[in-house]
Amino acid sequence: MEYLDLSDWEYRNEGNAALVVAHKTENRVLRLRKRDRSSISQVNHVHKEKIYKDAQNALDYMEFIMKPVLGAAFIHKGELVQLKREFLQEIKVRVKNSRPKKRLITEVDENLLYALQMPDFCRLQPPMPSNRNPTFAIEIKPKLGLLSWVPNSVSDKMKASVCRYCVIQHHKVAVGEWKHISKFCPIDLYSGDHSRMVYALNALFENPQNNLMIFKDGKSFFDGKNNDVRELERLLLPYFGATCTTQFQSDNSISALVNIIQRILVATSNSAFLKCDPNPPALTNRHTDTSVGSNGIRHRTEYKCCQSGFKMEHDSHDYLSHGSVLYNLIQAQKLNSLNVESVYHLYQRIQTEIETNPDQLDLLKIDGPYNSSEWRSILNRDNQTAAGSGGASSEEVEDACRKVFQFLVATTAKDTSIMIALQPVDELESGTPSHRIIHNLTTDRKYMFSISLVDLDPKPFIRIPKYFKRETEVVKLYLKNTHDA
């Protein structure tokens, strides 16, 4: 059991299931599991073993499923550390004043004595201690970049015209989670078109909600609650303005950062030196290339969400390059070809089988282990389910499981966050740099950068009914709002 000094740790961020604390001087963070305040956490010996097994299972999910799907260059596997209950009890009190009010219905569960320790992605990976310039980290939640998600009962017109994120915006405003509908649309971000991507990123800066956060040396200073754009311009200017101030206006430092982010998002993982040009040349090959589109080398986007405010002057025939972080995310999302209504029917079929034959629960590997052949086989899109020993019925259940597994992996990819760490460099050292470099040609500034993917937890099989219920509710509200309008 590792001894941790409470004074070395500070609140960083949190989601629905975990709270993150960061070490003040070392390259590591702890993800601490949470529970509802109203629930009672009672952990016996058997439960402790299950907690450890589940935590190790989550690490296996990252290693054996998400790393092959999303690319080893973007995935950093963590490790389990055992903590003292006293540390967790003190952390719970210490971070209380730093937490968002809406998150206070949950708290750190001091009875869960294991935490996932990860690198601190608000730092360069690996960190560069010799550089005294601050490190900026940009966290983006790009969400689902496909249109084929709507339940079967909805009209075909809606299925092919609106993305999930834009539909859910109506629900979030209706329940008071946000005041205004965001102009951000994931379809624009995933398009590969420079202008559409910049439009989408600018929309995030205008109304970040919980899809954009910016950190400086690990401290959050721009997010859905603290989003003063003028203050952000002032803070960014010394690091993203031009080296010669007469060449670059002070109100364009956000524009400079947006163009840097866009360039990094479309860069292949093996690109060591990038040039950022806010006016890139148009693609020379804009015709339909079915060989390129079908063999998976590039992701082509030709469609647009009807809720996007971007004004297209021509049909988009741009691509995401193979190996770029957005390309890998969209390919992972494409593992699933079913909407949640169809997946829910498969869930019911599997549940019926388990209720009839309880021994099937372990055999079907519903929630892992994720290094099993049943789970790893889903990474091959062309792989067909082998006939089961139980005949047609068994084969149908195995096929249903495979499709549900693909849905759950695609759902993880939908909720994954991109972390970009940027550190200005005054002069490049001679020889090969240890980090990737991006050069902003407009401001003549260079930055070391790293890019990582986080929030890669497995989605539980038992959560599928909840997904189905939520999708049904948000679609009904969207249809009502758009019909009334």
Side-chain angles (χ1 to χ4, degrees):
M1 183 177 296
E2 183 177 0
Y3 170 77
L4 299 177
D5 188 337
L6 184 67
S7 62
D8 291 334
W9 298 87
E10 59 186 359
Y11 177 86
R12 172 63 60 77
N13 200 3
E14 64 185 288
N16 293 328
L19 182 146
V20 178
V21 291
H23 197 282
K24 293 179 181 178
T25 59
E26 298 177 1
N27 178 35
R28 54 177 177 155
V29 300
L30 294 174
R31 296 188 72 216
L32 308 175
R33 302 299 295 182
K34 301 193 302 182
R35 65 177 176 89
D36 291 338
R37 282 184 178 273
S38 58
S39 66
I40 299 175
S41 179
Q42 295 179 338
V43 181
N44 55 34
H45 177 70
V46 175
H47 194 192
K48 285 182 180 179
E49 290 184 351
K50 184 180 185 303
I51 292 169
Y52 181 83
K53 182 180 178 181
D54 289 347
Q56 187 60 54
N57 209 27
L59 286 178
D60 288 343
Y61 183 75
M62 278 193 281
E63 180 68 20
F64 296 108
I65 304 298
M66 299 316 297
K67 184 178 284 188
V69 169
L70 296 177
F74 304 118
I75 308 294
H76 303 265
K77 184 180 179 181
E79 62 177 344
L80 292 181
V81 294
Q82 189 173 2
L83 306 174
K84 292 184 176 180
R85 181 174 285 103
E86 292 76 15
F87 174 81
L88 293 170
Q89 290 172 336
E90 292 174 4
I91 277 287
K92 184 166 65 172
V93 176
R94 188 180 182 89
V95 303
K96 183 177 180 180
N97 292 335
S98 301
R99 301 179 63 198
K101 289 183 179 179
K102 71 174 184 178
R103 298 292 188 186
L104 294 180
I105 59 173
T106 62
E107 63 183 7
V108 172
D109 192 338
E110 69 271 17
N111 288 312
L112 304 186
L113 302 183
Y114 292 98
L116 178 60
Q117 181 171 274
M118 299 284 291
D120 185 353
F121 297 117
C122 283
R123 303 169 184 256
L124 285 171
Q125 297 302 319
M128 193 72 174
S130 61
N131 188 343
R132 296 180 179 273
N133 286 321
T135 300
F136 294 87
I138 300 93
E139 178 178 2
I140 298 173
K141 295 181 183 294
K143 308 306 286 186
L144 182 65
L146 303 170
L147 292 179
S148 55
W149 67 277
V150 182
N152 299 327
S153 55
V154 180
S155 68
D156 290 337
K157 182 178 179 180
M158 179 180 173
K159 292 179 187 179
S161 64
V162 64
C163 77
R164 181 178 185 274
Y165 179 87
C166 290
V167 169
I168 288 179
Q169 281 292 297
H170 288 262
H171 182 266
K172 290 189 173 184
V173 171
V175 300
E177 186 173 345
W178 302 109
K179 293 182 179 180
H180 306 290
I181 290 178
S182 171
K183 295 179 183 178
F184 169 69
C185 179
I187 305 299
D188 290 330
L189 185 66
Y190 281 100
S191 69
D193 179 278
H194 178 268
S195 297
R196 287 180 70 182
M197 293 182 69
V198 167
Y199 179 87
L201 291 167
N202 281 328
L204 285 180
F205 277 84
E206 179 184 318
N207 185 6
Q209 297 189 3
N210 60 351
N211 296 95
L212 173 69
M213 292 185 70
I214 301 179
F215 303 83
K216 180 182 177 184
D217 289 332
K219 305 286 187 182
S220 172
F221 70 94
F222 187 80
D223 55 29
K225 300 299 182 183
N226 304 305
N227 52 11
D228 186 333
V229 175
R230 290 186 179 181
E231 179 65 9
L232 180 64
E233 289 276 10
R234 185 187 68 80
L235 291 170
L236 293 179
L237 181 60
Y239 309 102
F240 294 90
T243 52
C244 176
T245 56
T246 58
Q247 299 175 359
F248 199 66
Q249 297 299 315
S250 62
D251 61 351
N252 284 328
S253 57
I254 290 180
S255 177
L257 178 57
V258 163
N259 279 286
I260 289 171
I261 295 171
Q262 186 276 334
R263 183 67 183 90
I264 290 174
L265 290 177
V266 298
T268 58
S269 59
N270 60 356
S271 301
F273 190 92
L274 306 179
K275 292 183 179 180
C276 178
D277 183 353
N279 299 299
L283 292 180
T284 56
N285 179 14
R286 304 186 65 87
H287 66 277
T288 300
D289 186 346
T290 55
S291 63
V292 170
S294 62
N295 68 11
I297 293 178
R298 293 185 291 184
H299 163 71
R300 174 177 173 179
T301 299
E302 295 184 77
Y303 55 125
K304 176 175 175 284
C305 172
C306 66
Q307 292 294 305
S308 169
F310 181 79
K311 306 299 182 184
M312 295 180 64
E313 299 178 356
H314 53 74
D315 291 337
S316 176
H317 295 284
D318 291 290
Y319 299 89
L320 291 172
S321 298
H322 175 78
S324 67
V325 67
L326 288 182
Y327 172 90
N328 288 4
L329 279 173
I330 202 75
Q331 293 304 311
Q333 293 173 8
K334 286 180 176 180
L335 274 175
N336 171 57
S337 60
L338 303 176
N339 57 51
V340 71
E341 184 176 349
S342 299
V343 172
Y344 180 63
H345 293 320
L346 295 176
Y347 166 88
Q348 291 176 312
R349 172 72 180 87
I350 296 168
Q351 282 289 73
T352 299
E353 176 69 17
I354 292 172
E355 290 169 4
T356 305
N357 303 296
D359 292 344
Q360 286 286 84
L361 180 60
D362 290 334
L363 294 175
L364 294 175
K365 308 293 193 300
I366 296 298
D367 287 313
Y370 296 109
N371 59 354
S372 65
S373 59
E374 288 85 354
W375 271 92
R376 297 175 75 169
S377 68
I378 70 172
L379 305 182
N380 182 1
R381 292 175 174 82
D382 298 325
N383 185 39
Q384 298 298 318
T385 303
S389 59
S393 177
S394 176
E395 187 174 341
E396 290 173 3
V397 173
E398 290 173 13
D399 185 57
C401 283
R402 186 172 186 273
K403 291 175 179 177
V404 167
F405 293 170
Q406 290 175 323
F407 168 82
L408 294 174
V409 171
T411 302
T412 295
K414 169 183 70 67
D415 293 334
T416 295
S417 294
I418 301 172
M419 293 291 296
I420 299 172
L422 288 166
Q423 191 173 35
V425 288
D426 300 322
E427 293 183 8
L428 293 180
E429 298 178 359
S430 59
T432 303
S434 59
H435 289 81
R436 301 169 71 186
I437 302 294
I438 185 165
H439 181 195
N440 188 336
L441 300 179
T442 302
T443 63
D444 195 29
R445 286 189 181 273
K446 298 181 179 69
Y447 308 84
M448 293 184 290
F449 75 93
S450 61
I451 181 167
S452 308
L453 293 173
V454 298
D455 300 332
L456 301 171
D457 296 326
K459 303 296 185 181
F461 171 77
I462 199 67
R463 200 175 290 172
I464 290 175
K466 179 181 177 181
Y467 295 149
F468 174 62
K469 180 181 178 182
R470 176 174 169 80
E471 301 291 70
T472 303
E473 291 174 351
V474 298
V475 167
K476 285 182 178 179
L477 181 62
Y478 172 80
L479 291 173
K480 178 180 182 299
N481 286 353
T482 53
H483 181 268
D484 291 345

